[in-house]
Amino acid sequence: MNQLADVNSVAELEVDANKLIVAFASSDGEMVNQHFGSSLGFHVYAIDGTTATPLAAKSFGKEQRDGNEEKLKPKLAWLTGCDMVYCGSVGGTATNELIKLGAHPVIVKGGPDIEDIITELQQDITGAMSPLLERIFKQKTAKDNSRFAEMADEEWAE
C-alpha cells in the first residue's frame, strides 16, 4: 500500500477535480462503524470510476459524548477538502458544519464495508450519476476553474 499523507487538513492534498474525496468514519479502516462526533478515526480515499486510492487517515482520541462541541473542531478542520463523509450517524451541528465546508455527510447503518461503499460510488460515477454526485462534481469544477482564473489574473514576472 502506498504511504498515506500526514496532513493537517485533507485540503492540503493535491487531487484531480475528477476524483471524489471521501472520508469514512471508521475505527479499523475496514468498515464505517463510528458516529461522526465520537469517531476515533477517519480514512480518506480519492475515488473515480475505476480507482480508489487511500490518501490519508487520522486517529482522534476518545472524547466525552454530549455537550462537548469542541470535539468537532479538530475533526472538521482535518476533513476540510472532503467531498463526502460517511458515518454511522451525525448530529445536527456537525451536519451543518460539514455542509458549510462543502462536505456532504452520508449516514450508513449496520457497519457496511468501506470497499462496498467505494464500489457503489464507482458504479454511480460511471453510470447515471445521482443528483448529489452531479452537484459535488459541478462544485469541484467551478472551484477548480475559479482557481485558474485567479492565477490568470495574477501578474507574472519572468
Side-chain angles (χ1 to χ4, degrees), residues 18-93:
N18 64 349
K19 293 184 188 290
L20 277 179
I21 304 171
V22 184
F24 300 96
S26 175
S27 61
D28 60 6
E30 300 289 318
M31 58 199 319
V32 177
N33 59 3
Q34 302 274 290
H35 177 284
F36 180 83
S38 57
S39 180
L40 299 176
F42 290 92
H43 298 261
V44 176
Y45 288 77
I47 301 169
D48 64 18
T50 53
T51 62
T53 310
L55 295 177
K58 181 144 177 95
S59 296
F60 292 90
K62 211 162 179 46
E63 301 277 358
Q64 288 182 323
R65 293 292 280 226
D66 290 320
N68 182 5
E69 296 302 323
E70 289 299 304
K71 71 182 176 195
L72 297 177
K73 285 184 178 155
K75 291 173 181 150
L76 291 164
W78 191 76
L79 291 166
T80 299
C82 288
D83 298 313
M84 301 171 88
V85 178
Y86 280 80
C87 46
S89 64
V90 60
T93 303

Side-chain angles (χ1 to χ4, degrees), residues 17-22 45-52 83-84 86 117-134 136-137 140:
N18 64 349
K19 293 184 188 290
L20 277 179
I21 304 171
V22 184
Y45 288 77
I47 301 169
D48 64 18
T50 53
T51 62
D83 298 313
M84 301 171 88
Y86 280 80
I117 295 171
I118 288 172
T119 302
E120 285 174 27
L121 280 169
Q122 288 175 323
Q123 289 167 348
D124 196 0
I125 290 168
T126 56
M129 243 189 252
S130 69
L132 174 61
L133 283 190
E134 275 185 18
I136 289 170
F137 278 114
K140 288 170 77 72

